[in-house]
């Protein structure tokens, strides 16, 4: 399944890219060309999200990866349909951006699940990173849904995002360092 998914992704990106190149080279930006560009953008963004989720599909976190791929597919399908159907109501944009935020959260968590947890510090950093990602996604979706843009919500989102970014940077660095020291210790004991 993984191989077919990747091939399908590559083919759809190439086709969308060629169409976008044709639009850009034509120099005309009427409604049809803008829809082609937005469709290409949707394929590009959701392809990246899908690749992140697909990276854990055949491992320990397969169910989470498949759920992420499902959200990715629904988000892409909704983005393409609403680009071409152009509903009159503005609510479709709220749902469209909410799906994108949820997809990005799945992508981030999928990548964090690839970080090997050699010790409890790495596990904690990874858990904090993923928790912050989920909380940030919930805040953003709530803001999009209610269109409530007060200063307190932005401050909370900022704090959660900063904590998440720091933990996201720290977890793989600690994992890399722990892996290096495990290999160094193994080589030292083998050489003795």
């Amino acid at each position: 399944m993984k191989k077919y998914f990747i091939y399908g992704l590559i083919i759809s990106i190439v086709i969308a890219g060629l169409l976008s190149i044709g639009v850009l080279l034509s120099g005309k930006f009427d409604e049809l060309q803008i829809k082609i560009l937005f469709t290409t953008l949707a394929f590009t963004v959701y392809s990246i999200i899908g690749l992140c989720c697909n990276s854990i599909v055949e491992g320990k976190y397969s169910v989470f990866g498949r759920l992420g791929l499902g959200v990715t597919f629904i988000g892409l399908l909704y983005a393409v349909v609403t680009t071409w159907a152009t509903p009159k109501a503005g609510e479709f944009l709220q749902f469209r951006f909410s799906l994108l935020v949820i997809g990005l959260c799945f992508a981030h968590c999928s990548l964090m699940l690839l970080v090997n947890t050699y010790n409890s510090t790495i596990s904690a950093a990874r858990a904090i990173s993923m928790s912050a990602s989920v909380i940030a996604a919930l805040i953003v979706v709530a803001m999009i849904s209610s269109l409530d843009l007060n200063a307190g919500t932005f401050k909370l989102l900022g704090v959660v995002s900063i904590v998440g970014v720091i933990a996201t940077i720290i977890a793989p660095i600690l994992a890399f360092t722990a892996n290096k020291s495990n290999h160094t210790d193994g080589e030292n004991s083998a050489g003795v």
Side-chain angles (χ1 to χ4, degrees):
M1 179 181 152
K2 191 173 185 176
K3 182 172 73 170
Y4 295 118
F5 173 77
I6 291 174
Y7 287 148
L9 202 57
I10 290 169
I11 291 168
S12 65
I13 290 172
V14 168
I15 291 170
L18 291 172
L19 286 171
S20 293
I21 289 169
V23 167
L24 291 172
L25 292 177
S26 75
K28 297 177 187 172
F29 294 102
D30 60 9
E31 186 178 347
L32 175 65
Q33 280 78 12
I34 290 172
K35 286 182 178 185
I36 290 171
L37 290 174
F38 275 118
T39 302
T40 303
L41 179 63
F43 268 99
T44 303
V45 170
Y46 280 105
S47 294
I48 293 168
I49 292 171
L51 285 172
C52 293
C53 295
N54 194 50
S55 66
I56 61 169
V57 162
E58 292 182 4
K60 183 175 167 182
Y61 304 104
S62 173
V63 173
F64 186 83
R66 290 179 196 279
L67 188 58
L69 286 174
V71 170
T72 302
F73 178 74
I74 292 167
L76 174 61
L77 186 63
Y78 190 78
V80 171
V81 167
T82 55
T83 296
W84 289 92
T86 316
K88 299 285 184 210
E91 291 86 31
F92 84 93
L93 280 176
Q94 291 171 305
F95 189 61
R96 184 172 172 164
F97 287 124
S98 294
L99 285 172
L100 178 61
V101 169
I102 294 166
L104 289 169
C105 181
F106 268 101
H108 175 259
C109 290
S110 295
L111 292 177
M112 291 309 297
L113 288 170
L114 292 173
V115 174
N116 291 320
T117 53
Y118 297 106
N119 57 48
S120 59
T121 306
I122 300 168
S123 295
R126 185 173 83 170
I128 290 168
S129 170
M130 292 171 62
S131 299
S133 182
V134 170
I135 293 168
L138 289 172
I139 293 169
V140 172
V141 168
M143 289 170 64
I144 291 170
S145 299
S146 67
L147 297 176
D148 181 22
L149 305 175
N150 65 52
T153 308
F154 273 115
K155 287 179 184 178
L156 178 61
L157 179 61
V159 169
V160 169
S161 298
I162 290 168
V163 169
V165 167
I166 290 170
T168 298
I169 293 169
I170 288 174
I173 290 172
L174 290 175
F176 178 75
T177 305
N179 186 29
K180 278 283 220 195
S181 70
N182 287 345
H183 283 304
T184 305
D185 292 343
E187 289 172 6
N188 289 341
S189 63
V192 172

